[in-house]
Amino acid sequence: PSCRRYVAGGRCKSTARLEGKVVLITGANTGIGKATARDLAQRGKVIIACRDIAKGEAAASEIRAETGNQQVIVKKLDLADTKSIREFAEKFLAEEKELHVLINNAGIMLCPYSKTADGFEMHLGVNHLGHFLLTFLLLERLKQSAPARIVNVSSLAHHGGRIRFHDLHGEKSYNRGLAYCHSKLANVLFTRELARRLQGKFQRQVGFTANVLHPGSVYSELVRHSLVMTWLWKIFSFFLKTPCEGAQTSIYCAVAEELDSVTGQYFSDCQPAYVSPRGRDDETAKKLWSVSCELLGIQWD
């Protein structure tokens, strides 16, 4: 029915191959990430980075069977622990000589208040800071492999977010819905500032880009922390995208030839989309960058 077609949204029509290329996707053991991995495994080598190795292996063997591509590899990464992120990056750099596409896909949503191993509020810690650190640690390898792409999965929810520098870790006040929105706004601002920094002569010559996207409202495990949302998701599942439909914009940003030199953009349904005014605030983006570096104890100039 046409209503269902409308819900499904844009599709990635690119048939670009990724032979000899390496794609790394975080949180690709379920949902959108898994669907993204399945599609990209038909094109080239895919590395799935996730916290739950057993789930990751199950997803990978399923994808290997479906695509006939044996180069679907699982590596352990816990984005809620900077020690795990550093260990992952160290092993990755030792084992993989190239990295062409980094898809920062993993995310958590509507968690009751909790903190990461490093004391960051969980949404901000996993959705933003974890990926910020991972990208920092893998940046040189991406540069050496260029043309390369960084793809960050955000959400329409960024419209409801703000960066509360006075209470980044939600210790003064916490609302789990808003905490998710704040972290998704951070994804948009991070991408904006990253693209600006990459935009020197180097980026224009070889095509090193960073883009961010809204996958759509997808029927996935993301709402598992909220009983109400889980029920609503079940009731309205007809009006939600399947993980495969939700993965289309991630795939598009990863492979579409027409995006070779497009950077710093926000996409939805495989086309540029409207970014909230807060998501276009360069001052906030710069400040978030330096605060993130400070929290993670890194220097990223």
PDB file of all heavy atoms in Angstrom, residues 31-57:
ATOM      1  N   GLY A  31      19.265  -4.585  14.828  1.00  0.00           N
ATOM      2  CA  GLY A  31      18.607  -3.393  14.287  1.00  0.00           C
ATOM      3  C   GLY A  31      19.213  -2.815  13.027  1.00  0.00           C
ATOM      4  O   GLY A  31      19.633  -3.526  12.123  1.00  0.00           O
ATOM      5  N   ILE A  32      19.262  -1.484  13.001  1.00  0.00           N
ATOM      6  CA  ILE A  32      19.737  -0.762  11.818  1.00  0.00           C
ATOM      7  C   ILE A  32      21.183  -1.137  11.494  1.00  0.00           C
ATOM      8  O   ILE A  32      21.547  -1.295  10.338  1.00  0.00           O
ATOM      9  CB  ILE A  32      19.690   0.768  12.070  1.00  0.00           C
ATOM     10  CG1 ILE A  32      18.268   1.215  12.403  1.00  0.00           C
ATOM     11  CG2 ILE A  32      20.181   1.527  10.860  1.00  0.00           C
ATOM     12  CD1 ILE A  32      18.211   2.641  12.894  1.00  0.00           C
ATOM     13  N   GLY A  33      22.004  -1.260  12.538  1.00  0.00           N
ATOM     14  CA  GLY A  33      23.414  -1.570  12.330  1.00  0.00           C
ATOM     15  C   GLY A  33      23.602  -2.901  11.623  1.00  0.00           C
ATOM     16  O   GLY A  33      24.416  -3.034  10.702  1.00  0.00           O
ATOM     17  N   LYS A  34      22.818  -3.883  12.049  1.00  0.00           N
ATOM     18  CA  LYS A  34      22.904  -5.218  11.438  1.00  0.00           C
ATOM     19  C   LYS A  34      22.458  -5.171   9.979  1.00  0.00           C
ATOM     20  O   LYS A  34      23.075  -5.769   9.099  1.00  0.00           O
ATOM     21  CB  LYS A  34      22.050  -6.208  12.237  1.00  0.00           C
ATOM     22  CG  LYS A  34      22.128  -7.641  11.750  1.00  0.00           C
ATOM     23  CD  LYS A  34      21.303  -8.543  12.659  1.00  0.00           C
ATOM     24  CE  LYS A  34      21.104  -9.921  12.065  1.00  0.00           C
ATOM     25  NZ  LYS A  34      20.169 -10.718  12.884  1.00  0.00           N
ATOM     26  N   ALA A  35      21.375  -4.437   9.720  1.00  0.00           N
ATOM     27  CA  ALA A  35      20.874  -4.307   8.348  1.00  0.00           C
ATOM     28  C   ALA A  35      21.890  -3.570   7.469  1.00  0.00           C
ATOM     29  O   ALA A  35      22.066  -3.896   6.292  1.00  0.00           O
ATOM     30  CB  ALA A  35      19.530  -3.577   8.347  1.00  0.00           C
ATOM     31  N   THR A  36      22.568  -2.580   8.051  1.00  0.00           N
ATOM     32  CA  THR A  36      23.610  -1.847   7.323  1.00  0.00           C
ATOM     33  C   THR A  36      24.758  -2.793   6.988  1.00  0.00           C
ATOM     34  O   THR A  36      25.261  -2.824   5.858  1.00  0.00           O
ATOM     35  CB  THR A  36      24.139  -0.667   8.170  1.00  0.00           C
ATOM     36  OG1 THR A  36      23.040   0.166   8.562  1.00  0.00           O
ATOM     37  CG2 THR A  36      25.138   0.170   7.395  1.00  0.00           C
ATOM     38  N   ALA A  37      25.167  -3.580   7.982  1.00  0.00           N
ATOM     39  CA  ALA A  37      26.262  -4.539   7.788  1.00  0.00           C
ATOM     40  C   ALA A  37      25.907  -5.558   6.711  1.00  0.00           C
ATOM     41  O   ALA A  37      26.742  -5.927   5.881  1.00  0.00           O
ATOM     42  CB  ALA A  37      26.576  -5.249   9.107  1.00  0.00           C
ATOM     43  N   ARG A  38      24.660  -6.018   6.716  1.00  0.00           N
ATOM     44  CA  ARG A  38      24.221  -7.023   5.732  1.00  0.00           C
ATOM     45  C   ARG A  38      24.358  -6.472   4.309  1.00  0.00           C
ATOM     46  O   ARG A  38      24.860  -7.140   3.418  1.00  0.00           O
ATOM     47  CB  ARG A  38      22.776  -7.436   6.002  1.00  0.00           C
ATOM     48  CG  ARG A  38      22.283  -8.534   5.069  1.00  0.00           C
ATOM     49  CD  ARG A  38      20.809  -8.826   5.268  1.00  0.00           C
ATOM     50  NE  ARG A  38      20.557  -9.500   6.542  1.00  0.00           N
ATOM     51  CZ  ARG A  38      19.767  -9.025   7.510  1.00  0.00           C
ATOM     52  NH1 ARG A  38      19.160  -7.859   7.361  1.00  0.00           N
ATOM     53  NH2 ARG A  38      19.588  -9.705   8.612  1.00  0.00           N
ATOM     54  N   ASP A  39      23.900  -5.232   4.115  1.00  0.00           N
ATOM     55  CA  ASP A  39      24.000  -4.634   2.777  1.00  0.00           C
ATOM     56  C   ASP A  39      25.454  -4.423   2.367  1.00  0.00           C
ATOM     57  O   ASP A  39      25.853  -4.776   1.254  1.00  0.00           O
ATOM     58  CB  ASP A  39      23.256  -3.294   2.744  1.00  0.00           C
ATOM     59  CG  ASP A  39      23.366  -2.616   1.383  1.00  0.00           C
ATOM     60  OD1 ASP A  39      24.454  -2.098   1.059  1.00  0.00           O
ATOM     61  OD2 ASP A  39      22.370  -2.611   0.624  1.00  0.00           O
ATOM     62  N   LEU A  40      26.248  -3.858   3.277  1.00  0.00           N
ATOM     63  CA  LEU A  40      27.630  -3.527   2.916  1.00  0.00           C
ATOM     64  C   LEU A  40      28.491  -4.775   2.744  1.00  0.00           C
ATOM     65  O   LEU A  40      29.480  -4.759   2.009  1.00  0.00           O
ATOM     66  CB  LEU A  40      28.231  -2.565   3.948  1.00  0.00           C
ATOM     67  CG  LEU A  40      27.516  -1.199   4.015  1.00  0.00           C
ATOM     68  CD1 LEU A  40      28.154  -0.297   5.053  1.00  0.00           C
ATOM     69  CD2 LEU A  40      27.506  -0.506   2.650  1.00  0.00           C
ATOM     70  N   ALA A  41      28.095  -5.879   3.389  1.00  0.00           N
ATOM     71  CA  ALA A  41      28.832  -7.137   3.240  1.00  0.00           C
ATOM     72  C   ALA A  41      28.653  -7.707   1.825  1.00  0.00           C
ATOM     73  O   ALA A  41      29.433  -8.547   1.390  1.00  0.00           O
ATOM     74  CB  ALA A  41      28.363  -8.158   4.276  1.00  0.00           C
ATOM     75  N   GLN A  42      27.630  -7.236   1.119  1.00  0.00           N
ATOM     76  CA  GLN A  42      27.469  -7.650  -0.278  1.00  0.00           C
ATOM     77  C   GLN A  42      28.411  -6.862  -1.182  1.00  0.00           C
ATOM     78  O   GLN A  42      28.536  -7.161  -2.367  1.00  0.00           O
ATOM     79  CB  GLN A  42      26.016  -7.439  -0.727  1.00  0.00           C
ATOM     80  CG  GLN A  42      25.052  -8.380  -0.018  1.00  0.00           C
ATOM     81  CD  GLN A  42      23.590  -7.970  -0.187  1.00  0.00           C
ATOM     82  OE1 GLN A  42      23.276  -7.017  -0.889  1.00  0.00           O
ATOM     83  NE2 GLN A  42      22.700  -8.699   0.461  1.00  0.00           N
ATOM     84  N   ARG A  43      29.076  -5.868  -0.596  1.00  0.00           N
ATOM     85  CA  ARG A  43      29.931  -4.982  -1.391  1.00  0.00           C
ATOM     86  C   ARG A  43      31.410  -5.101  -1.031  1.00  0.00           C
ATOM     87  O   ARG A  43      32.275  -4.797  -1.842  1.00  0.00           O
ATOM     88  CB  ARG A  43      29.504  -3.525  -1.195  1.00  0.00           C
ATOM     89  CG  ARG A  43      28.012  -3.267  -1.464  1.00  0.00           C
ATOM     90  CD  ARG A  43      27.625  -1.872  -0.977  1.00  0.00           C
ATOM     91  NE  ARG A  43      26.186  -1.646  -0.972  1.00  0.00           N
ATOM     92  CZ  ARG A  43      25.532  -0.867  -1.843  1.00  0.00           C
ATOM     93  NH1 ARG A  43      26.189  -0.243  -2.787  1.00  0.00           N
ATOM     94  NH2 ARG A  43      24.227  -0.709  -1.747  1.00  0.00           N
ATOM     95  N   GLY A  44      31.716  -5.483   0.221  1.00  0.00           N
ATOM     96  CA  GLY A  44      33.119  -5.521   0.643  1.00  0.00           C
ATOM     97  C   GLY A  44      33.268  -6.045   2.060  1.00  0.00           C
ATOM     98  O   GLY A  44      32.353  -6.635   2.620  1.00  0.00           O
ATOM     99  N   LYS A  45      34.447  -5.811   2.654  1.00  0.00           N
ATOM    100  CA  LYS A  45      34.769  -6.332   3.984  1.00  0.00           C
ATOM    101  C   LYS A  45      34.122  -5.493   5.077  1.00  0.00           C
ATOM    102  O   LYS A  45      34.204  -4.257   5.056  1.00  0.00           O
ATOM    103  CB  LYS A  45      36.285  -6.342   4.175  1.00  0.00           C
ATOM    104  CG  LYS A  45      36.739  -6.804   5.550  1.00  0.00           C
ATOM    105  CD  LYS A  45      38.240  -6.928   5.609  1.00  0.00           C
ATOM    106  CE  LYS A  45      38.714  -7.351   6.978  1.00  0.00           C
ATOM    107  NZ  LYS A  45      40.173  -7.604   7.005  1.00  0.00           N
ATOM    108  N   VAL A  46      33.481  -6.165   6.033  1.00  0.00           N
ATOM    109  CA  VAL A  46      32.779  -5.457   7.104  1.00  0.00           C
ATOM    110  C   VAL A  46      33.256  -5.936   8.471  1.00  0.00           C
ATOM    111  O   VAL A  46      33.339  -7.139   8.725  1.00  0.00           O
ATOM    112  CB  VAL A  46      31.252  -5.668   6.991  1.00  0.00           C
ATOM    113  CG1 VAL A  46      30.542  -5.082   8.202  1.00  0.00           C
ATOM    114  CG2 VAL A  46      30.711  -5.029   5.719  1.00  0.00           C
ATOM    115  N   ILE A  47      33.561  -4.987   9.330  1.00  0.00           N
ATOM    116  CA  ILE A  47      33.925  -5.321  10.699  1.00  0.00           C
ATOM    117  C   ILE A  47      32.835  -4.805  11.626  1.00  0.00           C
ATOM    118  O   ILE A  47      32.474  -3.627  11.596  1.00  0.00           O
ATOM    119  CB  ILE A  47      35.290  -4.713  11.072  1.00  0.00           C
ATOM    120  CG1 ILE A  47      36.378  -5.372  10.213  1.00  0.00           C
ATOM    121  CG2 ILE A  47      35.596  -4.930  12.556  1.00  0.00           C
ATOM    122  CD1 ILE A  47      37.690  -4.663  10.246  1.00  0.00           C
ATOM    123  N   ILE A  48      32.301  -5.713  12.419  1.00  0.00           N
ATOM    124  CA  ILE A  48      31.237  -5.383  13.366  1.00  0.00           C
ATOM    125  C   ILE A  48      31.882  -5.197  14.737  1.00  0.00           C
ATOM    126  O   ILE A  48      32.540  -6.103  15.251  1.00  0.00           O
ATOM    127  CB  ILE A  48      30.216  -6.545  13.419  1.00  0.00           C
ATOM    128  CG1 ILE A  48      29.435  -6.623  12.099  1.00  0.00           C
ATOM    129  CG2 ILE A  48      29.278  -6.386  14.603  1.00  0.00           C
ATOM    130  CD1 ILE A  48      28.512  -7.829  11.990  1.00  0.00           C
ATOM    131  N   ALA A  49      31.707  -4.017  15.309  1.00  0.00           N
ATOM    132  CA  ALA A  49      32.273  -3.751  16.640  1.00  0.00           C
ATOM    133  C   ALA A  49      31.126  -3.646  17.628  1.00  0.00           C
ATOM    134  O   ALA A  49      30.276  -2.769  17.504  1.00  0.00           O
ATOM    135  CB  ALA A  49      33.063  -2.449  16.615  1.00  0.00           C
ATOM    136  N   CYS A  50      31.075  -4.563  18.591  1.00  0.00           N
ATOM    137  CA  CYS A  50      29.970  -4.502  19.546  1.00  0.00           C
ATOM    138  C   CYS A  50      30.374  -5.058  20.910  1.00  0.00           C
ATOM    139  O   CYS A  50      31.397  -5.723  21.051  1.00  0.00           O
ATOM    140  CB  CYS A  50      28.747  -5.232  19.011  1.00  0.00           C
ATOM    141  SG  CYS A  50      29.041  -6.954  18.642  1.00  0.00           S
ATOM    142  N   ARG A  51      29.532  -4.763  21.877  1.00  0.00           N
ATOM    143  CA  ARG A  51      29.818  -5.110  23.269  1.00  0.00           C
ATOM    144  C   ARG A  51      29.599  -6.601  23.520  1.00  0.00           C
ATOM    145  O   ARG A  51      30.354  -7.245  24.219  1.00  0.00           O
ATOM    146  CB  ARG A  51      28.902  -4.280  24.166  1.00  0.00           C
ATOM    147  CG  ARG A  51      29.238  -4.310  25.638  1.00  0.00           C
ATOM    148  CD  ARG A  51      28.218  -3.494  26.398  1.00  0.00           C
ATOM    149  NE  ARG A  51      26.861  -3.957  26.138  1.00  0.00           N
ATOM    150  CZ  ARG A  51      25.772  -3.190  26.170  1.00  0.00           C
ATOM    151  NH1 ARG A  51      25.890  -1.912  26.449  1.00  0.00           N
ATOM    152  NH2 ARG A  51      24.586  -3.684  25.946  1.00  0.00           N
ATOM    153  N   ASP A  52      28.514  -7.118  22.925  1.00  0.00           N
ATOM    154  CA  ASP A  52      28.138  -8.514  23.150  1.00  0.00           C
ATOM    155  C   ASP A  52      28.667  -9.391  22.020  1.00  0.00           C
ATOM    156  O   ASP A  52      28.084  -9.474  20.947  1.00  0.00           O
ATOM    157  CB  ASP A  52      26.609  -8.616  23.232  1.00  0.00           C
ATOM    158  CG  ASP A  52      26.122  -9.984  23.666  1.00  0.00           C
ATOM    159  OD1 ASP A  52      26.781 -10.979  23.322  1.00  0.00           O
ATOM    160  OD2 ASP A  52      25.074 -10.062  24.329  1.00  0.00           O
ATOM    161  N   ILE A  53      29.812 -10.045  22.281  1.00  0.00           N
ATOM    162  CA  ILE A  53      30.481 -10.827  21.248  1.00  0.00           C
ATOM    163  C   ILE A  53      29.608 -11.985  20.751  1.00  0.00           C
ATOM    164  O   ILE A  53      29.562 -12.271  19.552  1.00  0.00           O
ATOM    165  CB  ILE A  53      31.841 -11.366  21.768  1.00  0.00           C
ATOM    166  CG1 ILE A  53      32.852 -10.212  21.869  1.00  0.00           C
ATOM    167  CG2 ILE A  53      32.403 -12.436  20.860  1.00  0.00           C
ATOM    168  CD1 ILE A  53      33.375  -9.707  20.543  1.00  0.00           C
ATOM    169  N   ALA A  54      28.889 -12.624  21.646  1.00  0.00           N
ATOM    170  CA  ALA A  54      28.039 -13.756  21.247  1.00  0.00           C
ATOM    171  C   ALA A  54      26.975 -13.296  20.253  1.00  0.00           C
ATOM    172  O   ALA A  54      26.758 -13.929  19.208  1.00  0.00           O
ATOM    173  CB  ALA A  54      27.391 -14.390  22.472  1.00  0.00           C
ATOM    174  N   LYS A  55      26.310 -12.173  20.562  1.00  0.00           N
ATOM    175  CA  LYS A  55      25.302 -11.630  19.643  1.00  0.00           C
ATOM    176  C   LYS A  55      25.946 -11.200  18.335  1.00  0.00           C
ATOM    177  O   LYS A  55      25.376 -11.381  17.257  1.00  0.00           O
ATOM    178  CB  LYS A  55      24.617 -10.411  20.279  1.00  0.00           C
ATOM    179  CG  LYS A  55      23.388 -10.741  21.110  1.00  0.00           C
ATOM    180  CD  LYS A  55      22.657  -9.448  21.448  1.00  0.00           C
ATOM    181  CE  LYS A  55      21.492  -9.681  22.393  1.00  0.00           C
ATOM    182  NZ  LYS A  55      20.949  -8.419  22.896  1.00  0.00           N
ATOM    183  N   GLY A  56      27.132 -10.615  18.456  1.00  0.00           N
ATOM    184  CA  GLY A  56      27.856 -10.163  17.268  1.00  0.00           C
ATOM    185  C   GLY A  56      28.190 -11.325  16.351  1.00  0.00           C
ATOM    186  O   GLY A  56      28.004 -11.245  15.134  1.00  0.00           O
ATOM    187  N   GLU A  57      28.673 -12.417  16.935  1.00  0.00           N
ATOM    188  CA  GLU A  57      29.036 -13.599  16.144  1.00  0.00           C
ATOM    189  C   GLU A  57      27.802 -14.214  15.480  1.00  0.00           C
ATOM    190  O   GLU A  57      27.858 -14.672  14.340  1.00  0.00           O
ATOM    191  CB  GLU A  57      29.746 -14.648  17.010  1.00  0.00           C
ATOM    192  CG  GLU A  57      31.195 -14.313  17.350  1.00  0.00           C
ATOM    193  CD  GLU A  57      32.115 -14.213  16.137  1.00  0.00           C
ATOM    194  OE1 GLU A  57      31.700 -14.556  14.998  1.00  0.00           O
ATOM    195  OE2 GLU A  57      33.258 -13.760  16.309  1.00  0.00           O
TER     196      GLU A  57
END
